[in-house]
C-alpha cells in the first residue's frame, strides 16, 4: 500500500520539476506556467518545515549559498 503512494508522490515531484524547468525556459502551455509557481511554493514550504534541523553551528542553512548562487545564473547563458 505504501509503495503506490510513494510512487505517486515521486511522480508529482518529478512532474513539478519538469514544469519549473519548462517554464523557466520560456515555453510551455498555460498549465505548465501555473504549475511551476505551485511547485516552487511547495518546495519552499517543505524547506521551511525543516526548521532548525537543517541549521549549522553558525546559523546558516546547509546549501543556502549554492541556492543563492544558482538563482543568479541566466537560463540562456547570458
Amino acid at each position: 500500500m505504501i509503495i503506490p503512494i510513494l510512487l505517486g508522490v515521486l511522480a508529482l515531484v518529478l512532474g513539478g520539476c519538469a514544469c519549473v524547468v519548462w517554464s523557466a525556459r520560456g515555453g510551455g502551455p498555460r498549465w505548465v506556467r501555473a504549475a511551476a509557481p505551485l511547485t516552487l511554493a511547495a518546495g519552499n514550504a517543505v524547506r521551511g518545515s525543516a526548521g532548525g534541523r537543517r541549521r549549522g553551528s553558525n546559523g546558516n542553512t546547509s546549501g543556502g549559498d549554492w541556492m543563492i548562487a544558482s538563482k543568479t545564473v541566466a537560463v540562456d547563458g547570458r
Side-chain angles (χ1 to χ4, degrees):
M1 179 64 187
I2 192 79
I3 298 295
I5 293 172
L6 291 175
L7 288 174
V9 169
L10 180 63
L12 286 173
V13 168
L14 292 176
C17 290
C19 287
V20 168
V21 170
W22 194 1
S23 178
R25 290 181 173 261
R30 186 178 302 149
W31 66 268
V32 169
R33 292 189 304 268
L38 293 175
T39 302
L40 292 173
N44 286 334
V46 169
R47 187 180 309 137
S49 70
R53 291 179 287 169
R54 294 183 58 177
R55 299 242 176 238
S57 60
N58 61 359
N60 291 336
T61 57
S62 61
D65 293 335
W66 179 84
M67 293 302 292
I68 292 170
S70 68
K71 290 181 182 178
T72 60
V73 177
V75 174
D76 59 359
R78 287 188 269 159

